[in-house]
Amino acid sequence: MVAQRDQVRRTWREGEMLVQGLGQLRQLGYVVRDIHAAMDHWTRRLGVGPFFYFERAPVLDFHYRNEPSRAAASGAFSNLGAVQIELIQPLDDHPSVFNDFLNSGLEGLQHFAFWTQEFDACVERFAAQGAAIVQQGYTGNRNGRFAYFETEAHPGTMIEISEVQDKKAELFERVAEASRRWDGSDPVRSLSTP
């Protein structure tokens, strides 16, 4: 892990700040060992909910360090005000940044995300600043791409750029609206994987 952090530090260009100008922070992503316990904690203890839960997140064309990976994860989404809370539990040992995080002995906040409709431009901007994509794929359709950038010199600071359009945008708005009106009932709402 130390060698990996040193490599990340070497790829950054001195004086450049990656997230300046990306707009509002939209998501905090927590990697957990038990997603059901995590949803219970967030809903019953913290009062954040409801969570929209995928037993197996619908991720396609998943790549880790430029190699295809069959990694699978459960995922759940809710909102805390304007910020989405994402819970992720790996379901296997296939390569992913989520397994890297847990295998390093950590659990909790793993990344924060910015949403965009200009995905290619954001990816190019990060690449120009020396940030490398470590994990990528898409959800829903090709307009639901995501990329995680190897910027984590400190736990919980990996950055995700997420393209939010079409079905993904509709789901995220549904999550936000349900959170605004949530009265504590029906705290976990299962979603089917297409």
Side-chain angles (χ1 to χ4, degrees):
M1 188 70 162
V2 172
Q4 181 182 6
R5 279 192 225 131
D6 289 344
Q7 177 60 35
V8 170
R9 287 186 186 114
R10 284 194 296 272
T11 62
W12 292 345
R13 296 209 176 122
E14 190 65 34
E16 294 198 66
M17 294 182 278
L18 289 174
V19 300
Q20 296 297 336
L22 287 179
Q24 181 181 4
L25 174 72
R26 297 305 307 265
Q27 181 192 79
L28 298 174
Y30 293 81
V31 176
V32 299
R33 296 181 196 287
D34 183 339
I35 198 166
H36 294 286
M39 288 187 292
D40 186 65
H41 175 77
W42 279 90
T43 57
R44 292 173 16 109
R45 180 74 174 150
L46 301 178
V48 174
F51 275 88
F52 288 74
Y53 169 67
F54 283 106
E55 184 175 345
R56 185 180 181 101
V59 176
L60 302 168
D61 199 24
F62 187 81
H63 283 71
Y64 171 83
R65 298 194 182 279
N66 295 319
E67 295 292 328
S69 175
R70 295 182 303 161
S74 291
F77 304 96
S78 188
N79 268 57
L80 178 57
V83 176
Q84 184 182 84
I85 304 298
E86 179 183 28
L87 304 175
I88 304 154
Q89 177 190 331
L91 296 175
D92 54 43
D93 292 329
H94 295 291
S96 73
V97 296
F98 312 130
N99 279 325
D100 290 350
F101 192 73
L102 292 178
N103 291 338
S104 71
L106 299 170
E107 184 175 14
L109 183 63
Q110 185 269 339
H111 72 269
F112 57 97
F114 295 91
W115 296 351
T116 185
Q117 293 184 355
E118 298 173 4
F119 184 81
D120 294 322
C122 285
V123 168
E124 288 171 16
R125 176 178 174 230
F126 270 51
Q129 293 184 43
I133 294 176
V134 66
Q135 179 170 289
Q136 62 187 327
Y138 68 91
T139 58
N141 59 33
R142 293 270 180 201
N143 290 331
R145 295 174 291 175
F146 60 83
Y148 288 76
F149 290 86
E150 193 161 47
T151 59
E152 191 172 3
H154 186 275
T157 61
M158 185 169 276
I159 300 169
E160 177 191 9
I161 299 297
S162 185
E163 184 176 37
V164 177
Q165 298 186 67
D166 303 329
K167 291 180 183 180
K168 194 172 179 181
E170 291 170 14
L171 171 62
F172 286 179
E173 180 51 38
R174 185 173 151 205
V175 169
E177 180 60 28
S179 296
R180 284 190 286 272
R181 296 181 292 108
W182 191 51
D183 62 4
S185 63
D186 195 16
V188 176
R189 301 170 187 192
S190 292
L191 297 169
S192 61
T193 302

